[in-house]
Amino acid sequence: MDATDQKILNTLMADSRISQKELAARVGLSAPAVAERVRRLEEGGIIRGFTIDINPEALGYPLQAIVRVRPLPGKLHIVEQIIQEIPEFGECDKVTGEDCFVARLYVRSVSDLDNLLERIVDKAETNTSIVKAKPVERRMPPFQLS
């Protein structure tokens, strides 16, 4: 990956709907050259897809909670399956340490949060924090130029 690839990625991260023509103009290449570079970044697994950013609040989910989950002995796979089946779990990481999972839930109310967690309370211990603010939005790690 070179500096031009980095410019392409930064531009696409800011606006993945940009046209190939506009992207080419911003990075100083022809549209076919940019298309080829984007194709190589996709084939190399650097670009996994083009997506949208949806605001959960606009869909009626004003609260986010971070939940650390520690399954009871022998319940790891059952808890993991339940987490995968509950759509309010927006993301979940399997982690090392005392807890096995760290998850982000999108909920309409604290009562809804309680109801969701009731589905795993007999299979896991949980520790929940309500998100007050997001001082760092999701971002990618720094690029390493080759």
Side-chain angles (χ1 to χ4, degrees):
M1 189 165 76
D2 62 14
T4 301
D5 288 336
Q6 185 175 354
K7 286 181 190 175
I8 290 170
L9 292 172
N10 284 331
T11 304
L12 288 172
M13 284 190 309
D15 180 7
S16 64
R17 294 181 63 187
I18 191 170
S19 70
Q20 294 282 340
K21 181 179 176 182
E22 178 62 24
L23 180 58
R26 289 193 193 178
V27 300
L29 295 174
S30 68
V34 162
E36 175 62 21
R37 281 180 176 257
V38 170
R39 184 190 63 73
R40 277 189 280 140
L41 290 167
E42 288 176 294
E43 287 177 356
I46 294 171
I47 295 177
R48 292 188 295 193
F50 297 87
T51 187
I52 58 174
D53 183 17
I54 296 174
N55 178 358
E57 285 188 49
L59 296 175
Y61 295 91
L63 296 176
Q64 293 181 38
I66 304 298
V67 181
R68 296 189 340 246
V69 182
R70 182 183 314 167
L72 298 174
K75 302 291 185 180
L76 176 74
H77 298 295
I78 294 168
V79 171
E80 185 172 352
Q81 182 179 356
I82 292 170
I83 289 171
Q84 290 171 346
E85 292 171 355
I86 298 173
E88 287 85 355
F89 277 89
E91 56 186 293
C92 180
D93 294 313
K94 197 173 204 177
V95 298
T96 61
E98 291 185 20
D99 302 314
C100 291
F101 302 102
V102 176
R104 179 178 297 270
L105 278 89
Y106 300 100
V107 294
R108 296 179 193 277
S109 66
V110 173
S111 174
D112 285 350
L113 175 62
D114 285 341
N115 291 335
L116 290 171
L117 294 179
E118 282 293 321
R119 292 178 61 182
I120 60 172
V121 74
D122 61 333
K123 297 165 194 67
E125 296 176 6
T126 62
N127 185 302
T128 304
S129 300
I130 300 292
V131 176
K132 294 183 350 181
K134 234 177 168 177
V136 177
E137 286 292 330
R138 184 173 177 220
R139 62 183 176 196
M140 296 296 105
F143 298 115
Q144 298 288 329
L145 298 179
S146 53

